[in-house]
Amino acid sequence: MKHCIIVADKFDPEGVSRLQARPELEVLYEGGYKRDRLLELLPRASGLIIRSATKVDAALLEKAPQLKIVIRAGVGVDNIDIMEASRRGVIVMNSPGGNSVSTAEQAIALMFALARNTPQANASMKQGKWEKSKFVGLELTGKTIGVIGLGRIGKEVVRRARGLQMNVLGFDPYIPPANLSHLEIDLVSVEEILRNSDFITVHTPLTDATRDLINKDNLSILKDGVRLINCARGGIYNEDALLTGVQSGKIGGLALDVFTEEPIPADFPLLAFDNCILTPHLGASTGDAEFAVALESVDQLIEYFQNGVARNALNFPTVDPEAMDFLKPYFSGGEKAGRILANFLKGGVQSIHIDYCGEIAEYMTQPVTTAILSGALSVAMGDEVNYVNAPVFARDRGIQVSENKRVSESGFSSYVHVSFSAADGQKTHLQYTAVHREPLVVSMQGLPLEFKPEGIMLLVTNRDVPRVVGTLGNYLGDLNINIAHLELSRDDKGGTAYCMMTIDELVNPEALARLRSLDNILGAVQVDLR
C-alpha cells in the first residue's frame, strides 16, 4: 500500500522528483494548492509538506483522518496548530538546517546596510542626487553586537561577526554555557545586551518569553543610537516601542525582515523613516536555501516512512539511530508495562512514577515515558492514543507523571521501574529490563516474577494455599484454553501469591467473572498484548 503525500505549496522541482522516485509513495503536487482543493485531497493523505502559504489548523486536520506527519519546509511553524496536531496524533516537523546560512547572511547584510546607509544612498542616486555628506556611516570593526538566540542561525551570525572583528555578546537560556564555549564570546544577560550593544540581532522563536523583548518599559536602557535587526519573527520587538524609539532618536536605525502582520499595511508607521530598512521576509529567500530546505524536508519524510525516525520533530521526541538501537526494547516494554498496570488497577490512573536505573539513565528517556503513557491510556482509549498525543491526553486527564534517574541497585545493568497509583488509593508496580533485545518483566508488586510481556496474559492474585494452581488449570481446561507459560511468586508462606499465565485464547468476560469467584482467588486481570 502506498503512502499518499501532498506537497501543498510551491516546492523545489528536485525535491518533488526525489519523492516521486520512491515506489512506496504516491505524490500529489501541482505547484501549490488553493485551500478548497487541498481540503478535497486531504482524506487520502498520510503525509503533508508545506511552506508558509498553507495553514494547518483544526479545520484542515479534521479533513485528514489518515495524516501521520506534517513537515514545514523551513524553520517557522506559526502556520501550524501544533497542539491540535498532537491531539490527533500527527507528528509535526520542521527543516531548520537548510536556511540557517541564508538567514544569518541576511542579518549580516542588514547590519552592513544600517552601518553604511546603503539603501538610502542607492535611492538618492536614482533620484539624480549626489549626497555624499548625508550618508556618512560607521565601521563595524570594534563595535559591539548582541546576539539573542544562539541556535543554528545565531551561531552562524556569531561566526561572521567575529570575522568582522566585532565584540560579540550572546544570550541563550536554553543552551548550557559549556556547549557554547567554542564560540569564544561573552555570554551575558539580555539586560546587559540591551545596555551595551551598538547592534542587536535576534534569532529566537516567538514565544511568551521572547514576545516584546524590546518594549516601551525597557526602551530607555538601550544604548543611545543602537541599531536593531530582526530576521526571526515579528513581535519579538514591540513595533509601537520601535516607533517611539525611532521618533525620539534613541534607536539609530532599524532593519526588519519580519513583522507582526505580513504583508505590512500601506500605512505602516515605520515606512516614513529613512533610517528604517524594511524587507519582505527574505531571510530564507535564496535559491540555495530553498533547495537545501526542500531536500532536507524530503529526506525527513522518506526517513520517517522508511525507518520510523522522526527527525526535527516538534511534538515527538527525536532519537538518534544509535540510541534507538539500545532503547527499542524499552519502548515496547514500556508500552506493555503501561497496559498491564492500567488493567491491574480497578480505578483510573491518577499518577505515574518511573525510575530509570543503570545504563538507560544515560539516555534520553522521554520517548520511553511516552510509550508507558501510550500503553496506559490505550486501555481506555484504544487506537485513539499514540506516541504523539499520549502526553497531551495524560495532561488533559490530570495524570501526574514523574521520573527519576539513578544508578542500578540490582543485578541488572539497566532496568525500568514503573509505579501506578489510582484515584481510589490502589497502587501497582512492576520492573522490566531488556534481554537479547527483548523486554522482560522481572518483578511485579515487589516480588520476583519473570515473564515476557507478550500474547494473552492472565494475572491472578490468590491466597497462598495448596491446589490453587490445579484449580486454575482445571478451570481453563474446561474452557478448552491451553496454558502456554506459567510463573508463580508469593510474599510469605500462606500469604498472598501471584500467578502469571500466558494463554492461547481470550477468556470471555462471563468466564473471567466466574474465575474471580473461585475459592482462594483474590483477583484476576486479563491483558491482551498481541
Side-chain angles (χ1 to χ4, degrees):
M1 179 179 175
K2 288 189 174 185
H3 301 290
C4 178
I5 309 301
I6 299 177
V7 183
D9 299 325
K10 186 178 180 181
F11 206 68
D12 184 87
E14 186 165 334
V16 175
S17 297
R18 186 176 293 195
L19 284 174
Q20 292 171 333
R22 305 292 302 190
E24 72 274 21
L25 303 179
E26 176 192 1
V27 182
L28 304 183
Y29 176 66
E30 296 178 7
Y33 291 101
K34 291 186 176 180
R35 186 173 174 91
D36 289 346
R37 176 58 177 157
L38 179 61
L39 294 177
E40 291 177 7
L41 297 173
L42 278 171
R44 301 173 53 200
S46 297
L48 178 66
I49 296 179
I50 67 168
R51 296 187 66 195
S52 58
T54 297
K55 186 175 183 179
V56 180
D57 52 19
L60 183 146
L61 291 164
E62 178 69 29
K63 295 290 187 179
Q66 300 183 61
L67 193 63
K68 295 178 175 63
I69 181 172
V70 175
I71 298 181
R72 165 66 163 95
V75 178
V77 288
D78 304 28
N79 54 331
I80 302 175
D81 187 337
I82 296 178
M83 182 59 73
E84 185 64 25
S86 299
R87 288 185 188 281
R88 295 175 182 273
V90 178
I91 297 174
V92 177
M93 301 182 193
N94 65 352
S95 304
N99 59 17
S100 298
V101 169
S102 287
T103 305
E105 288 183 354
Q106 172 74 345
I108 295 295
L110 291 176
M111 181 173 66
F112 270 108
L114 282 174
R116 302 307 296 266
N117 302 304
T118 305
Q120 301 92 320
N122 176 65
S124 172
M125 290 286 285
K126 289 187 174 180
Q127 293 173 6
K129 301 176 183 178
W130 187 272
E131 300 178 294
K132 184 174 181 178
S133 60
K134 183 178 179 180
F135 300 115
V136 175
L138 67 145
E139 293 183 356
L140 295 176
T141 301
K143 299 299 187 296
T144 296
I145 181 172
V147 182
I148 299 175
L150 297 170
R152 290 180 177 87
I153 298 171
K155 288 186 177 75
E156 295 291 347
V157 170
V158 167
R159 293 186 184 101
R160 285 155 180 77
R162 291 190 68 246
L164 295 169
Q165 299 180 33
M166 300 182 75
N167 302 316
V168 182
L169 305 178
F171 172 80
D172 196 313
Y174 302 107
I175 303 177
N179 293 359
L180 299 171
S181 59
H182 66 284
L183 295 178
E184 298 180 349
I185 63 174
D186 293 326
L187 299 175
V188 299
S189 66
V190 169
E191 183 173 338
E192 288 180 82
I193 287 178
L194 299 186
R195 289 186 182 278
N196 300 310
S197 298
D198 302 298
F199 293 84
I200 298 174
T201 180
V202 288
H203 300 284
T204 71
L206 179 64
T207 66
D208 290 340
T210 62
R211 190 184 308 276
D212 296 340
L213 191 68
I214 291 179
N215 52 67
K216 289 184 178 180
D217 292 334
N218 62 17
L219 194 62
S220 62
I221 73 172
L222 291 170
K223 192 173 183 179
D224 289 342
V226 65
R227 290 161 172 83
L228 305 179
I229 303 159
N230 186 1
C231 295
R233 283 289 175 266
I236 296 177
Y237 298 149
N238 181 282
E239 290 173 354
D240 289 337
L242 296 182
L243 178 60
T244 299
V246 171
Q247 288 173 330
S248 68
K250 183 69 172 180
I251 295 174
L254 286 175
L256 304 179
D257 189 46
V258 290
F259 307 87
T260 54
E261 180 184 347
E262 295 182 3
I264 60 174
D267 59 351
F268 188 65
L270 295 174
L271 287 168
F273 297 88
D274 288 341
N275 60 343
C276 294
I277 301 169
L278 312 178
T279 54
H281 206 143
L282 300 177
S285 295
T286 65
D288 306 87
E290 291 181 3
F291 177 77
V293 164
L295 294 194
E296 184 178 2
S297 303
V298 166
D299 289 345
Q300 287 173 238
L301 185 138
I302 291 171
E303 189 174 16
Y304 173 76
F305 282 108
Q306 185 172 296
N307 303 317
V309 175
R311 185 157 42 94
N312 296 323
L314 303 176
N315 61 344
F316 185 79
T318 300
V319 182
D320 65 77
E322 184 178 345
M324 178 70 80
D325 188 54
F326 175 83
L327 290 173
K328 189 174 182 180
Y330 293 97
F331 293 156
S332 59
E335 185 171 354
K336 292 173 179 178
R339 291 171 66 181
I340 291 170
L341 294 178
N343 272 285
F344 208 83
L345 291 179
K346 295 177 182 177
V349 179
Q350 186 176 57
S351 65
I352 297 174
H353 179 76
I354 307 163
D355 288 306
Y356 293 103
C357 307
E359 188 178 357
I360 191 173
E362 300 174 6
Y363 288 81
M364 183 180 71
T365 52
Q366 180 189 353
V368 182
T369 297
T370 299
I372 293 169
L373 290 177
S374 179
L377 292 168
S378 69
V379 174
M381 301 178 67
D383 293 340
E384 186 181 352
V385 66
N386 62 23
Y387 281 19
V388 177
N389 57 25
V392 177
F393 287 140
R395 286 194 297 271
D396 288 348
R397 284 157 177 74
I399 298 174
Q400 299 177 354
V401 182
S402 58
E403 301 176 17
N404 184 44
K405 293 186 177 184
R406 52 191 171 91
V407 296
S408 178
E409 298 171 353
S410 72
F412 300 100
S413 62
S414 182
Y415 67 91
V416 181
H417 187 269
V418 189
S419 302
F420 280 25
S421 298
D424 61 3
Q426 291 185 87
K427 295 183 179 181
T428 185
H429 54 99
L430 64 74
Q431 180 176 308
Y432 74 98
T433 186
V435 176
H436 303 304
R437 299 178 182 270
E438 295 291 337
L440 180 71
V441 175
V442 293
S443 77
M444 191 155 183
Q445 306 299 75
L447 300 175
L449 195 64
E450 188 173 295
F451 59 89
K452 290 183 178 181
E454 60 185 14
I456 302 169
M457 301 186 61
L458 191 60
L459 300 165
V460 179
T461 308
N462 59 276
R463 295 186 181 90
D464 183 39
V465 296
R467 297 182 180 176
V468 171
V469 174
T471 299
L472 289 170
N474 288 333
Y475 183 78
L476 293 173
D478 290 342
L479 296 173
N480 201 31
I481 294 177
N482 188 49
I483 299 173
H485 183 79
L486 185 147
E487 290 286 338
L488 298 168
S489 188
R490 66 183 182 183
D491 50 14
D492 295 303
K493 183 178 180 180
T496 301
Y498 295 91
C499 175
M500 192 293 302
M501 291 177 282
T502 305
I503 55 181
D504 287 349
E505 297 177 45
L506 286 168
V507 181
N508 67 54
E510 295 80 9
L512 189 59
R514 291 196 300 271
L515 187 154
R516 295 188 181 108
S517 66
L518 296 176
D519 289 345
N520 297 308
I521 301 300
L522 303 176
V525 173
Q526 181 173 243
V527 185
D528 189 354
L529 297 179
R530 292 176 297 177

